[in-house]
Amino acid sequence: MTKVSMKVNGKPVSGEVEGRTLLVSFLRDTLGLTGTHVGCDTSQCGACVVHVDGQAVKSCTMFAAEAEGCEVTTIEGMANADGSLSTIQQAFQDHHGLQCGFCTPGMVMSAAALLAGTPKPTEAEIRHYLEGNICRCTGYHNIVKAILAASGQDVSDIGGNAIAAE
């Protein structure tokens, strides 16, 4: 067993882990932060995306011990200090960028990373960035619309729920 210490959502945490313990398992099973989902266990779906030192990471591909000393942000840490939804979370709600909600935490975390590096992305840039995130319900149209809205861009001329082709 190895002791790991890190900051998760701004709070210091530590725990004992086996060397093979994945970050997603440490977050969910040890810390009880179940908003980070396990979808495929093969890094294909993006449901487990978290931020590690400000970078989007699929937490099913990283050992917990590799996060030693790091700053980790999960979907639970995305809300504003007063508990209200962040701009990105609110945009997903306002523009119905979710249906079943399983992929939503990973999508929000990926969107936040995209917007941190590209504050005003184009639709094509958003679609390209989300290639590592799978959503089986929405057809991505409203997810893209939500991210455009979160970036402060006008989405009033973007249609309803039609599935947009790439």
Side-chain angles (χ1 to χ4, degrees), residues 78 80 84-92 94 115 146 149-152:
M78 290 298 291
N80 296 317
S84 63
L85 297 178
S86 70
T87 301
I88 296 168
Q89 291 170 310
Q90 190 63 55
F92 267 71
D94 292 346
L115 295 178
S151 74

Side-chain angles (χ1 to χ4, degrees), residues 43-47 49 58 128-134:
S43 79
Q44 301 297 310
C45 75
V49 173
K58 291 181 179 178
H128 177 73
Y129 197 87
L130 293 180
E131 284 180 353
N133 293 74
I134 295 174

Side-chain angles (χ1 to χ4, degrees), residues 35-37 44-51 56-58 75 78 86 88-89 92 97-115 126-127 129-144 146-147 150:
T36 302
H37 293 157
Q44 301 297 310
C45 75
C48 67
V49 173
V50 298
H51 296 175
V57 172
K58 291 181 179 178
I75 191 68
M78 290 298 291
S86 70
I88 296 168
Q89 291 170 310
F92 267 71
L98 59 121
Q99 284 186 20
C100 82
F102 189 83
C103 72
T104 305
M107 289 287 187
V108 168
M109 298 305 290
S110 291
L114 169 63
L115 295 178
I126 293 168
R127 289 182 179 280
Y129 197 87
L130 293 180
E131 284 180 353
N133 293 74
I134 295 174
C135 176
R136 296 176 188 252
C137 300
T138 68
Y140 301 93
H141 180 75
N142 288 343
I143 292 170
V144 172
I147 296 168

